[in-house]
């Protein structure tokens, strides 16, 4: 599904993770499912996460973008924003996802933009707007993630 592009992280975020010995751009991905679906993260900060996904290969039997594919894109983008908001001491775990599908799309690339609705100490909620190549809204989603303490060994607290 194409080459993985380099994710654009704010320099201060890269520096924060680098101070802990973590190469954030090398570590980051859309996960196995996101990679299989061709999700590409093109911009990532706690204030805004942008990603794309091809329609081809992610359709339902009628040839339209599958609603579950939109949900995968939305949860990926919102989770990245939540993870960046939580910082190096937290991990983000999705606890609620709501998707409203506005129109079908049969081809091309869809783009999702995740922006925060709430960023607290224990939860983060993001609105994700997915549009087609004509900038028409395809889906509006809302994701809430629980921010759990991360232990030094990488397990959750």
């Amino acid at each position: 599904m194409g080459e993985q592009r380099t994710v654009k992280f704010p320099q201060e975020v890269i520096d924060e993770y680098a101070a802990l010995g973590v190469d954030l751009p090398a570590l980051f991905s859309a996960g196995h499912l996101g990679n299989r679906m061709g999700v590409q993260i093109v911009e990532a900060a706690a204030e805004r996460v942008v990603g794309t996904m091809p329609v081809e290969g992610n359709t339902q039997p009628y040839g339209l973008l599958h609603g579950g594919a939109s949900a995968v894109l939305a949860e990926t983008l919102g989770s990245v924003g939540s993870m960046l908001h939580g910082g190096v001491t937290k991990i983000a775990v999705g606890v609620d996802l709501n998707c409203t599908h506005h129109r079908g799309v049969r081809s091309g690339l869809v783009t999702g933009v995740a922006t925060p609705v709430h960023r607290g100490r224990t939860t983060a909620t993001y609105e994700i707007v997915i549009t087609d190549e004509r900038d028409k809204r395809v889906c509006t989603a809302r994701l809430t993630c629980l921010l759990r303490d991360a232990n030094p060994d990488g397990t959750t607290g």
Side-chain angles (χ1 to χ4, degrees):
M1 295 242 167
E3 287 183 28
Q4 184 74 6
R5 290 180 270 176
T6 303
V7 179
K8 299 175 190 169
F9 287 98
Q11 190 60 47
E12 62 272 11
V13 173
I14 293 172
D15 294 343
E16 179 183 7
Y17 281 83
L20 298 169
V22 177
D23 182 353
L24 189 61
L27 175 69
F28 183 78
S29 78
H32 294 292
L33 178 59
N35 286 338
R36 234 178 293 134
M37 296 179 71
V39 172
Q40 301 283 321
I41 308 297
V42 296
E43 179 184 327
E47 297 78 26
R48 176 179 153 98
V49 181
V50 179
T52 62
M53 181 179 67
V55 174
E56 183 180 348
N58 294 314
T59 58
Q60 38 88 308
Y62 298 116
L64 299 170
L65 178 64
H66 195 291
S70 293
V72 168
L73 178 59
E75 184 149 357
T76 299
L77 300 178
S79 293
V80 169
S82 296
M83 183 262 312
L84 291 171
H85 164 65
V88 296
T89 63
K90 301 282 186 178
I91 62 164
V93 179
V95 295
D96 183 62
L97 176 65
N98 173 286
C99 298
T100 301
H101 306 286
H102 306 293
R103 71 177 29 160
V105 64
R106 293 184 178 278
S107 63
L109 202 63
V110 292
T111 299
V113 178
T115 54
V117 174
H118 166 78
R119 291 189 295 165
R121 287 183 303 109
T122 59
T123 63
T125 301
Y126 280 75
E127 177 184 59
I128 304 93
V129 174
I130 300 173
T131 56
D132 65 14
E133 291 178 322
R134 296 178 303 151
D135 206 29
K136 299 284 189 183
R137 192 177 290 225
V138 173
C139 176
T140 303
R142 186 191 66 245
L143 174 71
T144 297
C145 287
L146 176 65
L147 301 175
R148 298 191 60 187
D149 290 333
N151 293 329
D153 63 1
T155 62
T156 61

